[in-house]
Amino acid sequence: MYELFKSPAYENAIKQFEKACEILGLEEWLIERFKIPQRTLVVSCPVRMDDGGVRVFIGYRIQHNLTLGPCKGGVRYHPDVDMGEVAALSMNMSWKCGLAELPFGGAKGGISVNPKELSLNELERLTRRYTVEILPIIGPNKDILAPDMGTNPQVMAWMMDTYSMTEGYTSPAIVTGKPVIIGGTQGREEATGYGVALITHCALEHFDKKLPGMRVAIHGFGNVGSHTALHLSEMGCKIVAISDVYGGIYNQTGIPVEKIIDTVRRGGRVQDFKDADKVTNEELLTISCDILIPASIGGVITEKNSSQLRCKMVVEGANGPTTADADHILEERGIPVIPDILANAGGLIVSYFEWVQGLQEYYWSKKLVFKELKKRMHKIFKRVSYYASEKKVSPRMSALMLGINQVAMAKKLRGLYP
Ligand code: NAD
């Protein structure tokens, strides 16, 4: 069965899961149940291209676990998307929902496509067809979609519209991360990055350090990376290096984040900024800095480069950026890793707020959204750090154990059907 999902991302997720289960002493039947996602849907999406031809794209929607409530998870558009990666990400979402004590199970979706190669019309047709193909298993009380790498509020708007057209009425709660004007929440777009900045602050305080003046390097400058950079620089950090898929820049005196965000929004690249040295994505990871924030694809901190990292702390903005082997090396080197399911939970939490607002058709102010987000992020950080010192485990193990335990307890109470 595991063969079906065979991929480095899935194997990594299983390795970390098994380690957490061993320390938790979780019962064997639960371990077996949680290793395999509950539902896996593979779809093929034929799309009429602008030149008149037809291309068929493969898409996935995987629901890892429905014990705590409807499933929740992003949809990724990236050429490397495969079933194993989506399964791993859906599993991670289950533990993230458990850790954040939200009434959701974990899910993830994706299409193997490079969205940059498609025109806007082609992207819309692909998105609408994918939404229709996964229709049997989604719904505001079944499985709620969200943005991830390569998708954005516009893509969410098309998904919401497609679902609503098939239902015959507007259904805002089917997706989160949609534009505010059609029922999105204030603050969702920057929520993940703001959350990463909040957790970075908590982590530094935990180690008796102060945020102002900290040198930060960020790998990936999309939704998560750019908003993390913006919030951390507003909090007084010096952003010394950033990168996108085309390469990075480095300036030890600091990089003007807003300028680069403006360039990227207008279709430019990070390296278009000339007042900095050019670095490759690989070089950026080993730059001397205080905090390294991977905020792009998974598996970038590996067994190979982890011994060369020159940061004092890693805060995972991306999902699964550190392999299990690299994690072990960093632990031995005394470099704390603040794990993804804690550090980037801000997006999920504000997605939960958006879902609640959509169901109630009653909308909150940005001030309220961020106040509630901050409260919850601080609470989760405290739980993770307290549990880590009580059990003498790493922050990753602590977060995973808390998340897994939440789902396991609910599973035991609900029992097996039939
Ligand atoms: P995005 O598409 O907005 O941005 C991705 C960034 O990574 C871009 O700058 C892109 O150029 C860069 N990139 C892509 N491939 C790269 C590579 N091989 N090397 C270096 N850089 C590369 O995506 P995002 O929404 O910011 O998501 C980034 C990560 O954060 C993903 O792992 C995603 O799962 C995770 N995440 C996102 C959210 C969210 O709310 N968007 C929430 C939680 C976690």
Side-chain angles (χ1 to χ4, degrees):
M1 185 66 181
Y2 306 126
E3 289 301 304
L4 209 58
F5 303 105
K6 208 170 164 46
S7 80
Y10 186 67
E11 276 159 31
N12 201 50
I14 293 288
K15 253 190 204 173
Q16 288 174 340
F17 169 70
E18 282 178 337
K19 193 172 164 196
C21 289
E22 199 186 317
I23 313 173
L24 270 175
L26 206 67
E27 291 155 60
E28 200 53 42
W29 72 273
L30 284 167
I31 299 178
E32 282 309 300
R33 181 73 192 94
F34 292 155
K35 269 186 186 172
I36 302 164
Q38 197 160 334
R39 289 186 193 136
T40 299
L41 182 61
V42 185
V43 295
S44 62
C45 307
V47 176
R48 174 87 51 205
M49 306 303 279
D50 292 346
D51 65 6
V54 174
R55 269 182 74 187
V56 181
F57 297 89
I58 303 298
Y60 308 90
R61 185 69 187 172
I62 301 189
Q63 299 174 341
H64 175 259
N65 194 279
L66 288 97
T67 303
L68 287 173
C71 282
K72 180 89 194 72
V75 180
R76 178 175 289 195
Y77 289 180
H78 193 277
D80 295 342
V81 163
D82 61 30
M83 204 156 88
E85 182 187 63
V86 180
L89 291 165
S90 73
M91 182 186 276
N92 223 31
M93 277 300 288
S94 284
W95 316 143
K96 202 192 293 188
C97 294
L99 174 65
E101 297 180 311
L102 296 177
F104 291 136
K108 205 79 188 186
I111 304 179
S112 174
V113 60
N114 182 353
K116 290 200 173 85
E117 285 173 2
L118 302 189
S119 70
L120 202 63
N121 286 333
E122 290 167 342
L123 194 67
E124 178 175 352
R125 288 196 285 273
L126 173 61
T127 299
R128 288 188 184 277
R129 184 62 192 243
Y130 169 74
T131 310
V132 166
E133 292 298 337
I134 62 169
L135 216 51
I137 63 166
I138 61 168
N141 295 309
K142 288 174 159 181
D143 185 357
I144 303 118
L145 313 168
D148 192 77
M149 206 153 64
T151 53
N152 56 29
Q154 176 60 76
V155 172
M156 293 304 117
W158 292 327
M159 286 179 172
M160 189 273 247
D161 182 70
T162 307
Y163 181 82
S164 298
M165 292 307 286
T166 63
E167 290 294 297
Y169 55 88
T170 300
S171 181
I174 180 63
V175 301
T176 59
K178 57 197 169 292
V180 172
I181 197 166
I182 55 165
T185 184
Q186 300 284 346
R188 171 61 184 90
E189 205 170 343
E190 57 192 288
T192 310
Y194 179 47
V196 173
L198 288 173
I199 290 295
T200 306
H201 190 191
C202 291
L204 284 170
E205 268 186 350
H206 179 78
F207 293 112
D208 283 330
K209 289 187 178 135
K210 296 238 176 311
L211 205 57
M214 284 284 154
R215 295 164 307 137
V216 181
I218 303 181
H219 188 269
F221 201 66
N223 175 290
V224 179
S226 64
H227 288 295
T228 301
L230 202 57
H231 282 283
L232 282 177
S233 67
E234 278 168 14
M235 292 171 176
C237 291
K238 202 190 283 178
I239 311 300
V240 293
I242 53 176
S243 70
D244 59 22
V245 67
Y246 308 105
I249 52 174
Y250 170 68
N251 188 334
Q252 59 173 337
T253 62
I255 290 165
V257 175
E258 279 184 53
K259 243 187 199 169
I260 322 277
I261 290 180
D262 196 46
T263 307
V264 172
R265 265 198 198 130
R266 283 187 284 106
R269 299 175 178 190
V270 162
Q271 287 193 338
D272 291 346
F273 182 70
K274 299 295 172 218
D275 261 349
D277 297 331
K278 284 188 181 171
V279 288
T280 64
N281 266 301
E282 292 70 36
E283 284 165 347
L284 184 138
L285 293 167
T286 57
I287 267 169
S288 165
C289 62
D290 297 302
I291 304 157
L292 173 65
I293 303 185
S296 62
I297 52 167
V300 293
I301 303 178
T302 61
E303 192 182 2
K304 250 186 178 170
N305 64 13
S306 50
S307 55
Q308 291 146 33
L309 258 53
R310 288 188 289 154
C311 58
K312 298 185 182 122
M313 180 162 82
V314 175
V315 181
E316 295 184 333
N319 284 315
T322 313
T323 67
D325 295 333
D327 221 26
H328 182 65
I329 295 169
L330 292 175
E331 203 175 338
E332 283 197 330
R333 290 187 60 204
I335 299 177
V337 179
I338 311 301
D340 47 6
I341 62 169
L342 166 63
N344 69 28
L348 169 65
I349 292 169
V350 174
S351 277
Y352 166 63
F353 298 159
E354 182 174 338
W355 178 68
V356 169
Q357 292 171 66
L359 290 177
Q360 299 181 338
E361 306 268 6
Y362 180 79
Y363 294 94
W364 305 2
S365 68
K366 185 169 172 181
K367 199 171 160 197
L368 178 61
V369 168
F370 276 10
K371 188 176 143 212
E372 289 298 314
L373 171 65
K374 204 169 170 180
K375 214 160 66 185
R376 285 182 186 247
M377 294 299 282
H378 284 178
K379 186 177 160 206
I380 309 174
F381 184 85
K382 270 197 190 140
R383 282 181 69 217
V384 171
S385 55
Y386 181 79
Y387 196 62
S389 56
E390 188 190 318
K391 298 284 174 194
K392 299 193 174 28
V393 294
S394 68
R396 175 168 339 268
M397 272 308 119
S398 168
L400 274 176
M401 286 161 69
L402 286 166
I404 294 167
N405 203 38
Q406 184 84 357
V407 186
M409 282 196 310
K411 182 83 226 159
K412 280 207 261 187
L413 284 169
R414 288 185 60 164
L416 272 189
Y417 176 86

